[in-house]
Amino acid sequence: MSSSSSLWRRLQKFTQQTFSSSAILLQPQSPSCAVCGSRDGKTPRHDRFPQLCGRCYGKIPWITQMFCPVCGRPEWCPDCIRRTGTAFVCNRSAVRYDPVIRQWLALYKYRGNEGLLPLLGEMMAMAYRGMIAELSLTSQEQVQIHGLIPVPVSEERLLERGFNQAEQLGSYLAGSERLALYDILHRTRHSDKQSFKTRGARLRDTEQLFAADLHAAAAMLDSFNSSGLKTLRLLIIDDIYTTGSTANSCAQALAEALKSLAPALPVRIYILTLARS
Ligand SMILES: [Zn+2]
Ligand SMILES: [Zn+2]
């Protein structure tokens, strides 16, 4: 108990340092804020988020404490207890899916404000670094992620929007953390918007909704062959985590494909999402 509480203290210290006391820049000529358009130079800007005015930065609902160790939810979680056959180790999210983040994601996803990508991507990167620090602390070794796998959107959604937000966030993270991105998953059918559904409907709807491309998965495994890999650690990327049914369905598809290709290789699948609803 005492070692786990000291671990939590170290973790809390890490998150506090990461999220609150990073250096703040006062820019002589502030560019307009990517969200509200303000050129307010009086409120200091955060060094990692120069595209935001100080006021908008202050609205980011960072998740700094969690209640559910599986999905990272900051309050009591009914979904992880009820789920059977969880195919991922854990999910971590950068922020809560509150009205501010809902609006920022809508500006980016539906209004095509691509200037928000570096902002949302950097939020993901912060959560990624926190996740790696946490996993390394709990497993007492430096945990390394071998590849990022974006959650695919349906063809319909892709045509409508022109891009896959999970793929864009994944590409940003791949660039900032020097990781490889593997487009391995695809949707087996179109599913309607998850956000309007009940939990039961979501579960039915996401059952075998995803499949992994075996050729792409085999090519990914080949790229690690010479590195003496003992455990393969993959990170699935998405924008929003709600009940975890989409994430779990992706993790199941990935795990099944890898099992068929490399039955003896231990695989650990993690989820990283921008927002936890
Ligand atoms: Zn602003
Ligand atoms: Zn949970």
Side-chain angles (χ1 to χ4, degrees), residues 5 7 31 34 42 47 54-55 116 139 156 200-201 213:
S5 66
L7 185 133
K42 286 181 214 136
D47 59 344
R55 221 150 13 125
L116 285 178
S139 63
E156 286 90 334
D213 181 320

Side-chain angles (χ1 to χ4, degrees), residues 35 52 55-61 95-107 116 119-120 123:
V35 172
L52 279 186
R55 221 150 13 125
C56 287
Y57 176 78
K59 291 181 188 164
I60 300 177
V95 294
R96 289 169 184 265
Y97 190 52
D98 75 347
V100 170
I101 296 301
R102 191 186 309 246
Q103 187 210 354
W104 293 8
L105 264 172
L107 284 172
L116 285 178
L119 161 71
L120 303 175
M123 284 157 69

Side-chain angles (χ1 to χ4, degrees), residues 51-95:
Q51 59 279 81
L52 279 186
C53 72
R55 221 150 13 125
C56 287
Y57 176 78
K59 291 181 188 164
I60 300 177
W62 295 113
I63 296 176
T64 52
Q65 275 184 319
M66 55 185 175
F67 196 90
C68 178
V70 179
C71 69
R73 196 175 183 173
E75 55 270 313
W76 184 77
C77 158
D79 298 316
C80 292
I81 300 167
R82 283 149 83 186
R83 189 188 309 112
T84 50
T86 302
F88 59 90
V89 180
C90 62
N91 165 73
R92 293 295 176 262
S93 311
V95 294

Side-chain angles (χ1 to χ4, degrees), residues 45-229:
R45 294 197 174 204
H46 195 283
D47 59 344
R48 290 222 177 95
F49 298 90
Q51 59 279 81
L52 279 186
C53 72
R55 221 150 13 125
C56 287
Y57 176 78
K59 291 181 188 164
I60 300 177
W62 295 113
I63 296 176
T64 52
Q65 275 184 319
M66 55 185 175
F67 196 90
C68 178
V70 179
C71 69
R73 196 175 183 173
E75 55 270 313
W76 184 77
C77 158
D79 298 316
C80 292
I81 300 167
R82 283 149 83 186
R83 189 188 309 112
T84 50
T86 302
F88 59 90
V89 180
C90 62
N91 165 73
R92 293 295 176 262
S93 311
V95 294
R96 289 169 184 265
Y97 190 52
D98 75 347
V100 170
I101 296 301
R102 191 186 309 246
Q103 187 210 354
W104 293 8
L105 264 172
L107 284 172
Y108 162 63
K109 273 160 76 172
Y110 310 116
R111 303 249 204 100
N113 184 348
E114 291 203 32
L116 285 178
L117 178 62
L119 161 71
L120 303 175
E122 194 52 35
M123 284 157 69
M124 291 285 275
M126 301 262 283
Y128 172 80
R129 291 170 211 141
M131 183 184 202
I132 294 301
E134 181 200 337
L135 293 174
S136 300
L137 264 177
T138 44
S139 63
Q140 311 227 312
E141 60 166 324
Q142 185 57 44
V143 165
Q144 195 196 339
I145 294 293
H146 301 101
L148 305 177
I149 320 267
V151 170
V153 293
S154 65
E155 286 295 320
E156 286 90 334
R157 201 64 37 83
L158 201 58
L159 279 172
E160 179 186 296
R161 202 173 292 159
F163 64 91
N164 170 5
Q165 70 281 359
E167 207 265 327
Q168 285 201 342
L169 290 168
S171 295
Y172 183 94
L173 193 62
S176 85
E177 307 304 308
R178 295 165 175 253
L179 294 162
L181 185 81
Y182 298 95
D183 240 329
I184 288 180
L185 296 173
H186 60 266
R187 287 198 183 230
T188 54
R189 59 184 189 274
H190 178 69
S191 81
D192 296 319
K193 275 204 169 80
Q194 294 293 309
S195 43
F196 301 119
K197 290 184 190 148
T198 62
R199 182 179 180 276
R202 272 168 195 264
L203 283 179
R204 279 191 303 278
D205 207 50
T206 49
E207 218 167 282
Q208 298 191 327
L209 177 60
F210 301 93
D213 181 320
L214 284 181
H215 287 290
M220 175 185 75
L221 286 176
D222 278 348
S223 70
F224 300 129
N225 255 351
S226 54
S227 62
L229 198 66

